Structures are given as C-alpha cells and as structure tokens.
C-alpha cells in the first residue's frame, strides 16, 4: 500500500514513516507544510493519505483543506486525518461528503499500533474509521432529537457502527448474537428515520449525515 504522509512534527512524521515501512507499506512522499500536501498527492496518487489537520504556515486547517481539495481532484482518494483534539467541525466537513474512504483519529491512537494500522487499511479499502472520542462528540452534540429515543443498547450499537465496525465485531464487542445486532441496527435506523441497510460504511455515513443536519 502506497502512502503519503503530511505531518509537521518531525519526530511523529519519522515515526509514521518507520511504522508504515516496517509494516510492509511504501511511503511515497512526506509533507511538512500545508502547501506541500496537494502537489504530493496529485503527483504520487497514493492508496491512502495520512494528514494532520493543522499544518504550517497557519496551523489552522491546512491539512483538512488539502484533503478536501485532493478528493475533488482525485475522487475517492482515501484520507485518514489525524488531530490532537476532537475538532467537531473538521470531522463533520470531511465526513459530510457522503463518500467512503475517510477516517478521523486522534494522534494518541497511533501509539496503539494494531488499531492504527487496522484503521488505515480500512480507510484505504473504502471504509470508515472514526476515533471513539470523535464518535462521542458527534453523537452527543445535539440534544432533544430522535437520538434520545434510543435505548442504551441501541446507542452502544450506533456508537460501534459509527466507528466502522461490522455486525460480527459489534456482536463480539457486546457479547450478543449477530441476529441481536441486526435487530438493534434495524431499530436504530427506524427511530432515526433512515432506511435499514447492511451495506458497510454507507450505513455509518448515513448516520453521520443525519447528525450533521439541522
């Protein structure tokens, strides 16, 4: 898998290069500033881009803007965004396009190597990978809405769905049967006014699109 990395912190950038290289992936290019990102992505057309949200020179949203611009030029380009904190607006903007191959992780997740690599491969394959803390922000940012009608178990299932987990891994995490998970998912979509579906990341994006409305 060919990867382009954009990260201004030299130690973290080199750590990512080493981690990915020793895991059998090819780092096609690295970028240390915002203006370097888009040209690198357009030149190398990687299988997935790993981008910090805040990059020089402004340390605002250079990484995110580059990701959005690259996905306009290269539709479907998988992008895994890294951030120091949960930045709700950025997460919603990246995920709001209704396409797969997107992820948003907090940087401390990189230290959990297996989780990070699993998220990277999921995004590269067109799926979705969201940090649990980002999911919590998105699910709790609005009050007095249909989410309040969900049972605690349905909220657990929705939370795990939004992380990008499939039915089998949800069942394992909650120690219930696949059939029970399917039933909970059906109830969740019914209560949120969304059509039931088992079509992978699209169900996650449908939930996030719903949460982004209003």
């Amino acid at each position: 898998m060919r990867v382009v990395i954009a990260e201004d912190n030299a130690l973290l950038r080199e750590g990512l290069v080493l981690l990915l290289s020793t895991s059998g992936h090819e780092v096609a290019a690295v970028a240390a500033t915002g203006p370097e990102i888009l040209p690198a992505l357009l030149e190398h057309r990687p299988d997935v881009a790993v981008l910090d949200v805040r990059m020089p020179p402004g340390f605002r949203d250079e990484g995110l803007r580059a990701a959005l611009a690259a996905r306009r030029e290269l539709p479907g380009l998988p992008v895994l965004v890294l951030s120091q904190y949960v930045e709700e607006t950025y997460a919603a903007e990246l995920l709001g396009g209704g396409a797969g191959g997107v992820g948003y992780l907090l940087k401390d997740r990189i230290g959990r190597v297996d989780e990070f690599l699993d998220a990277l491969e999921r995004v590269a394959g067109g799926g979705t990978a969201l940090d649990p803390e980002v999911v919590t922000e998105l699910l709790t940012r609005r009050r007095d809405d249909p989410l309040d009608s969900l049972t605690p178990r349905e909220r657990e299932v929705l939370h795990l769905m939004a992380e990008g987990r499939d039915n089998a891994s949800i069942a394992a995490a909650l120690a219930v049967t696949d059939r029970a998970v399917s039933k909970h998912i059906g109830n969740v979509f019914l209560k949120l006014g969304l059509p039931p579906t088992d079509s992978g990341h699209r169900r996650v994006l449908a939930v996030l699109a719903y949460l982004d409305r209003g």
Side-chain angles (χ1 to χ4, degrees), residues 83-198:
S83 179
Q84 192 69 40
Y85 310 102
V86 178
E87 304 185 71
E88 178 187 311
T89 300
Y90 296 154
E93 186 164 1
L94 180 66
L95 295 162
V102 293
Y104 190 110
L105 296 182
L106 297 184
K107 287 187 176 180
D108 62 6
R109 197 69 54 185
I110 299 172
R112 304 173 189 179
V113 173
D114 290 341
E115 290 184 25
F116 172 71
L117 292 175
D118 177 69
L120 184 68
E121 291 175 5
R122 192 186 312 154
V123 170
T128 304
L130 299 183
D131 194 285
E133 291 188 36
V134 175
V135 175
T136 298
E137 270 309 305
L138 292 172
L139 293 182
T140 61
R141 63 179 174 163
R142 295 196 301 149
R143 306 293 181 182
D144 302 321
D145 61 28
L147 287 171
D148 295 332
S149 68
L150 300 182
T151 67
R153 176 63 71 170
E154 288 164 357
R155 292 183 71 90
E156 285 182 300
V157 170
L158 179 57
H159 192 108
L160 293 170
M161 285 170 56
E163 288 181 25
R165 300 202 190 197
D166 59 19
N167 286 20
S169 63
I170 294 174
L174 300 180
V176 298
T177 64
D178 287 356
R179 183 175 180 180
V181 171
S182 295
K183 182 177 180 180
H184 289 312
I185 290 173
N187 289 340
V188 166
F189 280 101
L190 181 64
K191 291 180 179 180
L192 297 184
L194 297 166
T197 177
D198 288 315

Side-chain angles (χ1 to χ4, degrees), residues 46-69:
D47 298 310
V48 60
V50 179
L51 310 176
D52 188 6
V53 168
R54 298 185 176 188
M55 297 280 289
F59 293 100
R60 297 182 64 184
D61 58 0
E62 290 82 358
L64 175 73
R65 294 300 162 196
L68 295 173

